Amino acid sequence: MEIKRVTLNNVGPFGTVEIPLAPTEKNPSNVTVFVGNNGTGKTSILEALATSLSWFIARLRTEKGNGSPIPEDVILNVANGAAIEIDICDSLGALAHQNEREISDRFHWTIAKTRKGRKSQYASNLNNCTRLANYYRNALTHDDKTSLPLIAFYPVERSVIDIPLKIRTRHTFLQLDGYDNALSQGVDFRRFFEWFREREDTENESGISEDVLSELRARFGTNSDVWQQLKQLQASAKDRQLTAVRTAIRHFMPQMDNLRVHRKPRLYMAIDKNGETLNVTQLSQGEKSLMALVGDIARRLAMLNPALDNPLTGDGIVLIDEVDLHLHPSWQRSLCDRLIATFPRCQFVLTTHSPLVISDCKNVLVYILTDGKLQELPSQYGQDANTVLLDVMNTSIRNEEIDSRLNDLLDAIQDSNPVKAQQLLAELTSELPANHLELIKAKLLLRKQELRHANH
């Protein structure tokens, strides 16, 4: 499943805007990124997509299920009503009606909302949404291992980790439960922990737990035949869904490995970081945020694709608001590439304030939002962060006052005004670090000018 385009009518700050999403002919990756100042509508686009997709999930669960309505306070101030139109491409839908005269893999539906006491301006039309959901329900009826598309929205308020030591309310983890809270809550780490613990209990029943294996390794060493045989037995009993989660986390965070639940002497979730076992709560906020986000995507893919040998190859749509949240710049730089590599058949729609997210991945589709207007940007691949800050995000690369004074210094040097230049240089030298690059350049230029005048 893939979104081809979304059209917003009087939603958030937008009048009418049509937004194609990657992959496109020009941008073959499966990543679309929105940039822009706060309040320009980035989150409104993701929320509109989540609202529209919620109706598919609802009608997949039950034939006449209701998704989320458009909130009235989302309607553009001057308008009486709003509508969200979405175009979906889905191969299962095409296969399901291949005997019809014209095969189509495109499904279009509209969600509309009118202000109270106003005349209707738009009308909802969910026929294609219902039709697509019916194809999946029919497929599930004939084969309960049919793969389902992941649909998930991770808002800014997705942080993060609240690990319950006691599970008071038990949940089911059937295939359709992969959609639970997928569009409303972001990372549900309590549910993640409960799911992980239950799957690991089953895994340990058919194999050997990591704790026991560690004790045997300490007793017999890693070269003994006994330990090697036990290691092989443990590997053969690995749970496929847990393996998918562990693999995804390791792809994103190579220094992290072997996520597991410790049960004695107390219950906690553990992970090995650079070979050292840590309680997950000991990780930094950025590490916890990324681990929880990636783990949740992998968990949902594993639940929705029970027959796939590698659930990470399942398809779907993932919406992430402020994807750079809490992440170190080095992680921001590789984020899109790792999303594509780890979840190759998922379509990602992201927002960001980071120039590194859009300058270090080829073929991503980037839009900039300004005053309710949307503009597609040329590829930023290979651009340095300062160029993206200046040209795309309209942000100075340094403090504006310092930037102005540095320009005054360079102007004084160029105008052959050494007295003023020396005064400005002395003032800036007292405030800025000795290794400030622009100061070093200015000193060299001033020295060259002095030598040139001395020779004359």
Side-chain angles (χ1 to χ4, degrees), residues 8-270:
L8 307 184
N9 300 286
N10 300 331
V11 174
F14 304 104
T16 296
V17 60
E18 182 180 293
I19 311 171
L21 300 181
T24 63
E25 288 186 13
K26 183 179 171 185
N27 302 90
S29 82
N30 53 356
V31 178
T32 303
V33 185
F34 294 93
V35 299
N37 288 338
N38 291 326
T40 54
K42 301 187 300 298
T43 299
S44 295
I45 294 172
L46 297 194
E47 289 177 342
L49 290 170
T51 296
S52 189
L53 293 168
S54 72
W55 288 83
F56 168 76
I57 293 177
R59 300 208 165 178
L60 177 57
R61 291 184 185 275
T62 59
E63 188 172 4
K64 296 183 179 180
N66 290 326
S68 301
I70 300 174
E72 189 167 322
D73 61 7
V74 165
I75 301 174
L76 186 68
N77 284 340
V78 298
N80 294 319
I84 304 165
E85 303 174 53
I86 193 168
D87 281 294
I88 295 287
C89 177
D90 191 282
S91 57
L92 180 66
L95 291 173
H97 62 282
Q98 60 185 330
N99 294 326
E100 297 179 15
R101 182 172 299 176
E102 184 177 342
I103 299 174
S104 174
D105 60 358
R106 301 291 283 267
F107 299 83
H108 176 98
W109 65 84
T110 303
I111 303 294
K113 178 72 174 182
T114 303
R115 291 189 190 277
K116 291 178 182 177
R118 309 292 176 87
K119 189 174 179 180
S120 178
Q121 183 178 0
Y122 301 101
S124 295
N125 185 336
L126 291 156
N127 291 339
N128 276 325
C129 178
T130 303
R131 190 161 60 96
L132 180 58
N134 282 341
Y135 293 143
Y136 276 97
R137 286 194 291 109
N138 288 336
L140 282 173
T141 301
H142 292 96
D143 179 5
D144 61 3
K145 300 297 184 184
T146 296
S147 289
L148 298 177
L150 167 66
I151 297 174
F153 173 39
Y154 298 95
V156 172
E157 304 83 7
R158 58 180 175 267
S159 298
V160 176
I161 290 193
D162 173 22
I163 299 179
L165 296 181
K166 293 183 179 179
I167 297 172
R168 295 178 173 84
T169 304
R170 296 200 66 83
H171 300 94
T172 60
F173 296 108
L174 304 176
Q175 187 176 7
L176 283 172
D177 296 326
Y179 292 122
D180 283 358
N181 299 325
L183 294 176
S184 60
Q185 193 167 319
V187 177
D188 184 356
F189 207 82
R190 292 183 69 87
R191 192 75 59 92
F192 177 88
F193 178 81
E194 183 183 344
W195 170 84
F196 196 99
R197 182 179 170 187
E198 182 177 288
R199 302 274 334 170
E200 197 178 64
D201 284 342
T202 304
E203 183 181 65
N204 291 339
E205 285 175 5
S206 57
I208 302 170
S209 73
E210 283 289 340
D211 292 343
V212 171
L213 200 65
S214 295
E215 291 178 15
L216 293 172
R217 180 173 55 206
R219 181 176 300 179
F220 295 106
T222 58
N223 295 322
S224 71
D225 291 340
V226 172
W227 192 86
Q228 291 294 340
Q229 290 175 15
L230 291 173
K231 184 72 173 173
Q232 290 176 9
L233 178 62
Q234 186 223 30
S236 65
K238 286 289 186 185
D239 180 89
R240 188 170 44 83
Q241 293 189 21
L242 291 183
T243 298
V245 170
R246 292 168 179 144
T247 300
I249 291 172
R250 189 166 59 248
H251 279 180
F252 267 82
M253 309 164 77
Q255 74 277 24
M256 304 286 187
D257 195 17
N258 194 21
L259 184 67
R260 61 199 183 278
V261 175
H262 263 299
R263 290 161 177 80
K264 294 179 181 180
R266 59 188 178 84
L267 188 69
Y268 67 94
M269 181 161 268

Side-chain angles (χ1 to χ4, degrees), residues 4 23 38 98 118 133 136 155 305 373 406 412 455:
K4 300 306 290 184
N38 291 326
Q98 60 185 330
R118 309 292 176 87
Y136 276 97
N305 296 276
K373 307 286 186 187
L406 283 168
N455 291 332

